[in-house]
Every structure is written in C-alpha cells, then in structure tokens.
Amino acid sequence: MAGIKTVLITGGSSGIGYAVSEYFAKAGYRILWASWLEKELQEAKSRLSNSHKEAEIHTLAIDLSKEESCQKVLDWTHENGWSVNVLINNAGFGTYGFLQDTDMDKEIAMINLHILSTYKLTRLFLSEMIKRDEGTIINIASNSSFQPTPKLNTYASTKAFVNHFTRGLHEELKMSGSKVKAICVCPAAIRDTAFRKGEKLDKVKAFDGLATTTAGEVAKNIWNGFQEGKAFI
C-alpha cells in the first residue's frame, strides 16, 4: 500500500501500547511492535488483526534493555523499507520496595529500558525525522515523575528523565523550526495492565486510588493529543 504511514510502538503487545495501537490501526497506519515476549506478540497480533481486518502488523521480539537492541530495531525498519512516522517509547516495568531491598540487576535493566532505550531510539529515529522534516516521537513517562516517590524511587527517577528529556526536546525542535514533534505523556497509575503484576506492585495502594486510570483512557488521550498537536498529555 503506497503512502501508508507507520507507527513503531515499543511494548505494543500489551497495556497502553496495545490500546493505542487500536487507534492507529483504525486510522490506517502500519503497526510495528518491538516487545519482549514472542508469545505475547503473536497473541496480540491475532487479537488486533481480528478487530481490524485491514491492519498491517509486524512484530519484533527483542529485549530493549540490552545494549545493542535499539540499533537492531532501526536495522529491522531499514531492512523492510519502513519509514517510521510515529515512534512511541512505551515499553517499561516497575520495581517496588526500599532501595537496599530491591533486585539491583532488575533495577539496572529498568534503567536501561526506561532511560537508555528511550534515549537511543529517540536519537536514532529523530535523525531520520529531521531529514524529512516530519514525524512525531511520543514518550511515556508517569505522574510519579514530578516528585520523589519512596519505594518507587528508581522507577520514578527513570520517568523523571523521560519527562524532562521529552519536554526539553520539544522546546529544541521548536527553537530550530523543525516540524518534528515530541510529546510527553504522564499518566496516573493504571489499574488494568500487566505492569501492576510486577515485583510487589500489586500491593501498591496507588493502583486502587481515586486518581487511577485505564490503558484505554490513556490511549484515547494520547490519540487525541497527537491529533491536536499537543506537547504534553
């Protein structure tokens, strides 16, 4: 299909990533998912294909916390001749507890995923978007990114990076006169995703509070904000 637009979503096979994929599929975008679990990718692809018969969906099973993974994602798009119009850095997970009690290797993997992967994929695809003077990068931060969050300390700190990095990039693009857009998304705790099933996160009261949201609500806000040209959601 000539002229089809393409969205690349990390962690697209579940949660916010899957929910927002439905909006892009309905709008006729080619869907690219880079996620960790092959089985989850195939199950999600089947589900989205059933609800959007015309959708073109491609998947790459990859651990984005690994150093070489972001370049592999870029290479995957090049090998298939896909030009990415929208990049959504969404993949993530959380840890919970006092810092000295958390699994250091798991937290380092989370830092690599939330910070380094978001940074690298943004840099890699931004270069191509700037050359075309077209494209949008949407980075998923969190409402926990605005203040220190005890027992979610490392998670919140990684999301603070995403928040500052994306909003700073938005200003840089405006200053340089580029038509490329950067959008920062800071959702509240999401009560209906697998994210909550992470290490002890099922015990976190924030997921049961009045200020919680759903993946579907966040996806709707992302789509509407994207359509309206917002910089912060």
Side-chain angles (χ1 to χ4, degrees):
M1 181 177 176
I4 187 171
K5 288 190 175 183
T6 300
V7 58
L8 167 60
I9 307 172
T10 68
S13 52
S14 65
I16 296 171
Y18 182 86
V20 79
S21 294
E22 297 203 80
Y23 286 90
F24 281 95
K26 186 177 181 180
Y29 279 71
R30 176 189 292 116
I31 308 295
L32 308 182
W33 285 338
S35 297
W36 184 26
L37 301 174
E38 178 67 39
K39 182 180 178 182
E40 181 181 88
L41 279 165
Q42 294 311 313
E43 290 174 349
K45 180 179 179 179
S46 176
R47 197 160 67 249
L48 190 64
S49 296
N50 286 336
S51 58
H52 300 279
K53 303 295 184 183
E54 303 301 316
E56 180 184 341
I57 308 163
H58 302 274
T59 66
L60 177 66
I62 191 165
D63 182 353
L64 290 168
S65 71
K66 302 299 184 184
E67 184 176 354
E68 70 285 354
S69 60
C70 295
Q71 184 62 48
K72 288 182 178 180
V73 173
L74 182 69
D75 292 344
W76 177 54
T77 65
H78 287 174
E79 289 161 7
N80 289 281
W82 299 320
S83 180
V84 173
N85 304 96
V86 181
L87 166 66
I88 304 180
N89 284 306
N90 164 74
F93 65 91
T95 56
Y96 179 76
F98 293 117
L99 184 63
Q100 67 270 22
D101 298 329
T102 57
D103 184 315
M104 183 182 290
D105 289 337
K106 188 171 184 179
E107 291 221 309
I108 289 172
M110 181 174 65
I111 292 167
N112 288 340
L113 178 61
H114 293 182
I115 297 179
L116 292 180
S117 172
T118 296
Y119 173 83
K120 289 179 181 179
L121 287 173
T122 296
R123 285 294 301 267
L124 291 170
F125 287 97
L126 178 66
S127 296
E128 299 190 344
M129 291 178 180
I130 287 175
K131 287 177 184 177
R132 301 194 309 265
D133 201 22
E134 177 276 332
T136 302
I137 295 171
I138 302 173
N139 291 334
I140 311 300
S142 167
N143 69 347
S144 67
S145 67
F146 295 105
Q147 66 284 313
T149 309
K151 301 188 87 172
L152 282 170
N153 188 18
T154 306
Y155 171 81
S157 297
T158 65
K159 291 302 185 177
F161 170 84
V162 177
N163 186 345
H164 285 257
F165 175 66
T166 310
R167 295 170 80 176
L169 175 60
H170 165 76
E171 294 300 325
E172 289 182 356
L173 291 167
K174 273 204 324 182
M175 290 167 67
S176 63
S178 175
K179 293 180 182 177
V180 179
K181 305 296 183 184
I183 303 173
C184 180
V185 183
C186 288
I190 299 169
R191 57 182 177 269
D192 62 339
T193 71
F195 179 90
R196 185 179 181 178
K197 297 176 183 177
E199 184 181 308
K200 301 179 183 177
L201 288 171
D202 56 331
K203 299 177 183 178
V204 178
K205 292 181 180 179
F207 289 100
D208 299 312
L210 294 175
T212 58
T213 187
T214 67
E217 288 172 350
V218 175
K220 182 179 179 179
N221 289 338
I222 291 172
W223 179 254
N224 289 341
F226 170 61
Q227 294 299 306
E228 294 165 10
K230 290 186 177 180
F232 182 77
I233 301 168

